[in-house]
Amino acid sequence: MALEFWDIAADRLRKSLGNNNYKSWIEPLQLVGESAGTAEFFVPTSFFGNYVRQHFEDQILYQMRESGFEVTRVTFSVGRLDQEPVARPSSPAVVAPVKPREIQGAKLDKRFVFDNFVVGKPNELAHAAAKRVAEAGPVTFNPLFLYGGVGLGKTHLMHSIAWELQSNRPDINVMYLSAEQFMYRFVQALRERKMMDFKELFRSVDVLMVDDVQFIGGKDSTQEEFFHTFNALVDQNKQIIISADRAPGEIKQLEDRIASRLQCGLVVDLHPTTYELRLGILQSKIELYQSSYPGIDVRQEVVEFLAHRISTNVRVLEGALTRLFAFASLVGREITVELTQDCLSDILRASDRKVTVEEIQRKVSDHYNIRLSDMLGPKRLRSFARPRQIAMYLCKQLTSRSLPEIGRRFGGRDHTTVMHGVRKIEDLRNKDSQMSDDLDLLRRSLEA
Ligand code: ADP
Ligand code: MG
């Protein structure tokens, strides 16, 4: 039955994604099964799974629903239908001999473990709080409320807590689900007249985690039921962990009494990532990728380029990296800044910080104490030429202008002059630490 539905969904996907995408990415998917709102697919490689997750997950989910599946989530794991699934290296260790209890609710992503979470200033509090509740000691704050913008690691932290609890405390009942799934189950229980079962299930857990709770804003009966569940668990001193994209008081159409209950415990926000954190995350993801793509190297300047140019959303950063590795493995070339710019032009444009050529010229001439007219004029003295080259280099790095365009803005110079300048600075940057510090400083102040 499910396979028939999948045929219909696949056919719709062929139409919406085009034949090439369909052949490359959809046809190889093997539907393994479907339960509790999750459809599970086997994929040939982990790269393949990542790629499909990044690019087609929403479409797949949408077309499956349109074709009659009652799914809210799809998962991709490496395997073939005639084989056992391949265990991935990042899967958390299972503690012998007690087999941990299955986490109830939604499936957990194997990559979302504490070991893969890079800690920096913007997320250190959230991380510390998550670690604390994962110890399952006496409940000190209830609920733990994590909030922050999209792609800053809320779901990653929640899954990490669940994995950790599963291996350290196999005796306790953990339930993780999204607020949407909570609603879905609630509505289903109403429809099937199984409200008693529903209440019993939710009141029997020791740790309840509800992700993206902003979803219940405006959904009155779901809110009501959530509130009862919440209170019942808090009364029994059971740990609750909630995430949302904003602070409790700012969730639209959320009843005041619920908002104030949500604030009773510890409210921690994940701040937008900083340049330093993005660097750290990129480095750790590159190491992960390199185990599946041996031989592909990413230059340090590319890593810095990405950390500078891509927005604070880590999901976007990962998407960029996935594409870059796929591209490099196809063309079999080393990843350079140029290759990166070509391959990621759409992503870069979308998260462009909009630093202008004029700002760069002004900032650099201020920094080196020369007049703007000397930077743009014909003088070839080193004391003018060097800042000019630095400004050109920064224009290449921080704006999406082409070399000829940059040349035009520097007093009508030729693109080969710009290229020469950019190369020169790249070269100096690697040799001369003063130069590399200057560049960092300038970049930082331009982006502030
Ligand atoms: P949110 O739930 O806040 O929207 P996610 O937890 O889904 O964000 O994170 C988006 C992606 O970014 C995930 O693939 C996650 O692994 C990754 N990510 C976010 N923050 C970090 C971090 N600090 N270290 C490593 N990966 C991260
Ligand atoms: Mg999330």
Side-chain angles (χ1 to χ4, degrees):
M1 190 60 177
L3 278 176
E4 280 170 32
F5 280 147
W6 172 239
D7 283 345
I8 300 172
D11 201 47
R12 285 162 165 272
L13 285 162
R14 182 206 295 275
K15 293 196 182 95
S16 66
L17 301 175
N19 215 26
N20 283 346
N21 276 329
Y22 175 83
K23 282 263 173 228
S24 314
W25 303 108
I26 305 298
E27 207 172 51
L29 296 177
Q30 296 186 317
L31 180 64
V32 186
E34 182 215 346
S35 67
T38 298
E40 196 184 341
F41 289 95
F42 275 165
V43 291
T45 63
S46 64
F47 163 70
F48 190 102
N50 284 338
Y51 192 90
V52 173
R53 187 178 304 115
Q54 300 275 356
H55 294 88
F56 306 120
E57 178 169 337
D58 293 347
Q59 277 285 335
I60 292 172
L61 206 52
Y62 173 74
Q63 298 296 5
M64 286 184 85
R65 285 192 186 147
E66 289 290 300
S67 314
F69 282 95
E70 293 195 323
V71 288
T72 50
R73 206 176 128 82
V74 286
T75 62
F76 305 98
S77 50
V78 177
R80 284 197 15 211
L81 274 182
D82 48 353
Q83 272 177 215
E84 282 292 301
V86 180
R88 280 196 254 155
S90 62
S91 59
V94 171
V95 191
V98 196
K99 188 179 176 329
R101 261 191 224 222
E102 283 288 309
I103 305 283
Q104 306 184 51
K107 271 209 140 178
L108 300 175
D109 193 314
K110 293 204 167 75
R111 298 164 309 150
F112 292 0
V113 290
F114 281 122
D115 277 348
N116 291 343
F117 192 82
V118 181
V119 185
K121 268 240 162 54
N123 59 24
E124 63 182 345
L125 262 179
H127 174 260
K131 274 283 200 192
R132 173 63 61 79
V133 295
E135 289 166 8
V139 176
T140 45
F141 36 78
N142 213 2
L144 168 61
F145 190 101
L146 298 171
Y147 78 92
V150 204
L152 298 184
K154 303 180 293 292
T155 299
H156 190 137
L157 281 178
M158 290 183 104
H159 286 206
S160 304
I161 297 170
W163 285 123
E164 189 109 335
L165 286 170
Q166 190 189 26
S167 62
N168 292 347
R169 294 291 306 271
D171 52 314
I172 65 176
N173 247 331
V174 180
M175 163 109 83
Y176 165 88
L177 79 180
S178 68
E180 186 180 7
Q181 287 160 336
F182 180 87
M183 179 181 91
Y184 181 77
R185 287 194 173 194
F186 170 58
V187 172
Q188 194 175 23
L190 281 177
R191 201 170 54 211
E192 293 171 2
R193 299 174 194 288
K194 287 186 177 154
M195 270 315 285
M196 286 306 285
D197 293 351
F198 177 89
K199 283 181 191 294
E200 215 166 279
L201 172 66
F202 278 90
R203 283 157 182 64
S204 71
V205 301
D206 298 302
V207 177
L208 175 67
M209 304 202 242
V210 184
D211 205 350
D212 288 318
V213 85
Q214 75 276 358
F215 179 83
I216 64 172
K219 301 182 173 87
D220 294 344
S221 42
T222 301
Q223 266 183 46
E224 187 71 25
E225 189 56 38
F226 174 75
F227 190 56
H228 292 316
T229 305
F230 184 97
N231 288 337
L233 288 174
V234 170
D235 287 347
Q236 296 175 60
N237 215 16
K238 301 292 172 64
Q239 180 74 54
I240 298 176
I241 303 149
I242 307 279
S243 88
D245 65 356
R246 63 200 74 187
E250 283 159 19
I251 298 176
K252 293 205 181 69
Q253 300 184 53
L254 184 70
E255 280 182 52
D256 289 345
R257 58 181 182 143
I258 301 182
S260 70
R261 261 330 271 264
L262 291 177
Q263 276 160 352
C264 283
L266 180 65
V267 179
V268 197
D269 60 339
L270 288 118
H271 295 279
T273 58
T274 55
Y275 172 69
E276 286 73 17
L277 181 57
R278 288 197 293 279
L279 266 188
I281 291 173
L282 281 166
Q283 261 139 9
S284 105
K285 307 260 166 193
I286 287 171
E287 277 164 31
L288 280 179
Y289 272 117
Q290 277 170 340
S291 54
S292 17
Y293 290 105
I296 295 188
D297 233 12
V298 190
R299 293 186 191 172
Q300 182 60 17
E301 66 206 50
V302 172
V303 181
E304 288 169 16
F305 174 80
L306 291 174
H308 273 298
R309 285 287 302 277
I310 295 188
S311 71
T312 71
N313 182 337
V314 182
R315 199 173 293 133
V316 178
L317 207 59
E318 284 185 338
L321 210 54
T322 310
R323 193 190 306 167
L324 213 53
F325 269 91
F327 196 70
S329 76
L330 289 175
V331 302
R333 265 192 285 154
E334 190 191 12
I335 302 176
T336 61
V337 172
E338 277 79 49
L339 190 64
T340 308
Q341 277 171 326
D342 287 346
C343 167
L344 303 177
S345 57
D346 54 332
I347 300 177
L348 293 170
R349 222 175 301 125
S351 59
D352 214 343
R353 281 151 198 279
K354 308 265 181 323
V355 178
T356 65
V357 171
E358 288 71 25
E359 277 170 307
I360 294 171
Q361 292 170 336
R362 215 174 311 122
K363 183 68 89 190
V364 175
S365 45
D366 280 355
H367 184 83
Y368 291 100
N369 247 322
I370 64 170
R371 280 201 299 267
L372 192 59
S373 57
D374 285 332
M375 169 173 284
L376 304 184
K379 291 187 189 151
R380 286 161 163 242
L381 267 172
R382 161 82 57 94
S383 54
F384 302 132
R386 191 66 87 225
R388 185 182 298 140
Q389 290 175 327
I390 289 173
M392 287 173 173
Y393 168 85
L394 289 170
C395 288
K396 183 74 189 126
Q397 288 255 306
L398 303 180
T399 73
S400 48
R401 304 270 170 213
S402 65
L403 295 176
E405 275 178 294
I406 296 173
R408 268 198 296 284
R409 311 273 199 115
F410 281 78
R413 286 178 159 78
D414 192 67
H415 78 276
T416 53
T417 310
V418 182
M419 195 157 64
H420 171 77
V422 171
R423 295 241 169 97
K424 180 79 205 169
I425 301 303
E426 269 170 6
D427 188 41
L428 283 176
R429 221 198 79 167
N430 293 326
K431 292 188 193 140
D432 175 355
S433 65
Q434 175 65 44
M435 174 63 83
S436 117
D437 289 350
D438 270 15
L439 289 172
D440 270 356
L441 189 80
L442 283 164
R443 208 144 44 170
R444 243 173 261 250
S445 72
L446 280 161
E447 285 175 345

